[in-house]
Amino acid sequence: MDNSQESQFSQASAGPTRGTDLEDRESPSGIAQLKVSERFVSRQGEGRLTGVESFFIRTSGCNLRCHFCDTPYASWNPQGDLTKVDDLVLAALKTGLTHVVLTGGEPMLPKEIVGLTQKLREVGLHITIETAGTIDRDVECDLMSISPKLASSTPSADKHPRWNALHSQRRMPIDAMRRLIDRSDEFQLKFVVTSADDFNEIEEVVSALQTQPNDVWIMPEGVTNEAMDKATAWLNPLCEARGYQYCDRMQIRWYGNRRGT
C-alpha cells in the first residue's frame, strides 16, 4: 500500500478515542441518559439483515470525521436530546418489532450504551450495533456491524487540520475491532469504497482481523441511486473476484437520502 495513505493500524483503546467534546451525561438524580439525534422505524438497508424491519436509535456524537459522512447531524454538527435509557427501551418495545439497531454518529462513544444494550437484551430484543470499531465497550450484541474507516475517509488537512490528525490517529485500532468481534454472537465488516485503490487497504484489514471474505461487505460511496448505479459496474467485479459481498444501500433506493430512514 502507498505509505502516503498512512495505513498504519493503531492500537487505540476506548480512552484515547474519546476527545469529541461530547461528555457522558447523567441527570442530577443519576438517571442514565444518552444524547440521541433521532429514533425511527425503518427497514435495514445494508448487510446481512437487509430488509428486516427494525427500530433505529441514532446516538449523537462521533470521535471521527469522515469527509463523506452522510449523517453530519450526528457527527460534524451533533444534534439531539438527552434521552433516558429506560425510555429508549420502552420505545423499542412499543414498536412491536424484534430488531433494534444502535447507530450514529458513533454509538459506542457514550458509556451508557452498555446499560442500554443490557436492558434491550433483557427484554428479548435482537441488537445490531453499527460502529466504526474504534471503541471497545462490554456491550451485549447479536450482530456487530463494524465499518472500518479507510485512509480515503480522512477529512482534508487544509480545511480541517485538527480533525485530519485525530481521524488518522483513531480510525484503525485493530485490537479493539478484534475484541468487539470476539464478544458478539455474529459480525460483519462493511467498507465504504471510493475507488479501486481502497482494496489494498481492505485486504490488509481483513488479514489483520483474521476474518473470512464472506464476512466482508463492500459499499460504494454515494447518496443517490445514480452514484450507486455508476459504482456497481466497476465495484461488483472487484468484490466477486475476492469473495466479498457487494452491499447496496437499499434505504436510499427505498426512501431517498433523508433522515428517519
Side-chain angles (χ1 to χ4, degrees), residues 37-237:
S37 65
E38 58 181 349
R39 51 187 180 177
F40 54 90
V41 171
S42 186
R43 286 181 287 174
Q44 174 59 266
E46 302 170 357
R48 297 189 190 282
L49 298 181
T50 295
V52 175
E53 193 170 17
S54 305
F55 180 61
F56 288 76
I57 300 172
R58 187 182 304 283
T59 63
S60 188
C62 189
N63 61 333
L64 301 178
R65 290 295 186 275
C66 298
H67 75 83
F68 51 64
C69 180
D70 57 0
T71 56
Y73 52 90
S75 60
W76 284 95
N77 182 29
Q79 305 167 7
D81 299 314
L82 288 175
T83 306
K84 297 176 184 177
V85 166
D86 287 346
D87 288 347
L88 292 172
V89 176
L90 181 60
L93 288 172
K94 285 183 176 179
T95 68
L97 301 175
T98 57
H99 285 70
V100 176
V101 179
L102 306 180
T103 187
E106 175 50 71
M108 298 289 277
L109 187 60
K111 69 178 185 296
E112 296 302 336
I113 198 71
V114 175
L116 175 59
T117 63
Q118 291 171 346
K119 292 190 175 187
L120 291 171
R121 176 65 65 84
E122 286 172 4
V123 296
L125 298 177
H126 181 285
I127 305 164
T128 297
I129 299 179
E130 297 182 338
T131 175
T134 61
I135 299 173
D136 176 25
R137 295 197 188 277
D138 192 15
V139 292
E140 303 283 343
C141 185
D142 296 282
L143 176 60
M144 186 65 70
S145 182
I146 301 176
S147 182
K149 302 310 178 188
L150 304 175
S152 58
S153 69
T154 307
S156 166
D158 292 334
K159 295 181 179 179
H160 306 285
R162 176 175 176 267
W163 278 111
N164 173 275
L166 289 173
H167 187 96
S168 297
Q169 294 166 8
R170 295 169 173 172
R171 66 181 179 84
M172 198 65 73
I174 291 295
D175 283 355
M177 294 179 189
R178 185 68 255 175
R179 289 192 296 271
L180 292 174
I181 289 171
D182 291 342
R183 182 177 294 122
S184 304
D185 294 345
E186 287 189 281
F187 77 96
Q188 61 187 14
L189 300 179
K190 295 192 302 181
F191 294 93
V192 176
V193 169
T194 61
S195 75
D197 294 339
D198 287 332
F199 276 84
N200 291 331
E201 188 177 3
I202 290 172
E203 290 177 352
E204 287 187 8
V205 176
V206 171
S207 176
L209 289 173
Q210 301 178 357
T211 57
Q212 299 302 311
N214 61 0
D215 293 318
V216 178
W217 297 75
I218 305 295
M219 298 187 296
E221 181 192 354
V223 293
T224 66
N225 290 344
E226 292 75 18
M228 290 189 294
D229 290 342
K230 185 176 180 180
T232 299
W234 62 266
L235 191 51
N236 229 338

